[in-house]
Amino acid sequence: HAGSIFGDVRFADAPPQLPLVKVSKDQDYCGETLPNETYLIESNGGLKNVVVFIESAPVGKAADPLKENFLYNDGCRYVPRVMAFQLGEKFKVKSNDPKLHIPHGYLGERTVFNLSLPFKNTTIEATSRIRQPGMMKVVCDTHAWMLGWVHVFEHPYFAVTNDQGVFSIPDLPGGNYVLKAWHEGGGTKSQEITVPESGEMRIVLEFGRKS
C-alpha cells in the first residue's frame, strides 16, 4: 500500500541577476570570482537544489549504515551545495583542493562539526557528529564565501531536485500529508497532498522572487 510522488520544481519569474562571488583568499588557485550558485535555473525554469520532503512523515525504511554521503571541497566551493541524507547513514567530507579548508557545520547556533582538511584528497568521516535531524549550514573558516546546506532526516521520504528541477519520492504509504519544499533563496513552500495506495502522483511546485 505504497505510492510514489514525482514532479518538478520551477522558478516562475525571470532568473535573478546575482553578482559574482568575490574571492578574498587563495586567489592563485580559487580565482578572483566564482559563480553565484544560490539560484541554479534550467532553461525551462527547472530549479535545482530544492529539498522536497514529507512533514511529520511515517517512520519508513531504516537507514542503510553502509551508505556513504560525501560533501566535497572542490574549486573553493561546496559540492553538492545542497544535500540530504537519512540519519544513520555515513557522512564524509573530502577536499579536492590543494588548499587548507576548515568545513564548519552549524545546526542553528550550535557547532556540529569543525574539521581541518589541509591537503588535497584528505577525507574525514563525521558520521559520529551527526546525532539528530535538522538542516545544517556549512561554511569554511578559511574561505568566507563558501556555503553549503546539509539536510538530515529521520525518515526516507525526501529528495533534492536535479539539474532540471525534477524530484522523486518512492514507496510512500498512501494517506494525507503535507509536502514541503525548501530553497535557500526562496524559503519554504507547503502543499497538502493525498498519496494513493499504489501508483504515482505528479506534483508541480513553483518558487518566485521574494516580495
Side-chain angles (χ1 to χ4, degrees):
H1 301 291
S4 297
I5 304 171
F6 76 98
D8 307 270
V9 180
R10 299 172 181 166
F11 193 78
D13 297 325
Q17 300 299 312
L18 301 177
L20 294 173
V21 175
K22 293 183 179 180
V23 173
S24 55
K25 187 175 182 179
D26 293 327
Q27 295 167 325
D28 59 316
Y29 175 78
C30 304
E32 295 187 357
T33 60
L34 289 169
N36 192 317
E37 298 180 304
T38 303
Y39 287 92
L40 296 177
I41 304 170
E42 208 257 346
S43 58
N44 69 353
L47 183 59
K48 185 179 180 179
N49 287 338
V50 179
V51 182
V52 184
F53 60 97
I54 297 295
E55 184 181 49
S56 302
V59 175
K61 187 177 180 180
D64 180 357
L66 299 181
K67 182 178 179 181
E68 297 182 324
N69 301 275
F70 281 89
L71 177 64
Y72 295 94
N73 295 265
D74 194 334
C76 302
R77 45 196 271 274
Y78 284 120
V79 179
R81 183 179 177 92
V82 177
M83 64 184 296
F85 63 89
Q86 191 172 354
L87 185 66
E89 296 175 353
K90 293 183 183 296
F91 175 61
K92 298 182 178 182
V93 185
K94 180 178 180 180
S95 179
N96 293 334
D97 296 336
K99 297 292 183 180
L100 169 67
H101 286 296
I102 304 179
H104 195 161
Y106 293 90
L107 184 60
E109 300 296 323
R110 181 175 66 84
T111 292
V112 177
F113 60 86
N114 193 8
L115 312 173
S116 178
L117 301 174
F119 308 112
K120 184 175 182 179
N121 295 324
T122 304
T123 301
I124 296 179
E125 182 168 348
T127 306
S128 63
R129 296 172 170 86
I130 312 299
R131 301 187 180 96
Q132 66 184 90
M135 178 182 67
M136 290 182 288
K137 179 180 180 179
V138 186
V139 299
C140 177
D141 287 349
T142 53
H143 301 97
W145 65 88
M146 290 180 63
L147 180 62
W149 305 91
V150 178
H151 295 245
V152 183
F153 291 94
E154 288 185 299
H155 58 80
Y157 306 117
F158 60 88
V160 181
T161 57
N162 64 13
D163 291 350
Q164 288 74 46
V166 175
F167 71 93
S168 176
I169 302 176
D171 301 324
L172 178 61
N176 298 319
Y177 299 101
V178 174
L179 182 71
K180 287 197 168 184
W182 172 94
H183 181 265
E184 65 171 294
T188 302
K189 304 286 185 181
S190 298
Q191 181 174 328
E192 294 184 358
I193 61 171
T194 300
V195 177
E197 292 188 352
S198 64
E200 294 182 328
M201 67 175 299
R202 184 170 184 268
I203 300 289
V204 176
L205 300 168
E206 288 190 344
F207 283 85
R209 292 179 181 272
K210 283 187 173 181
S211 57

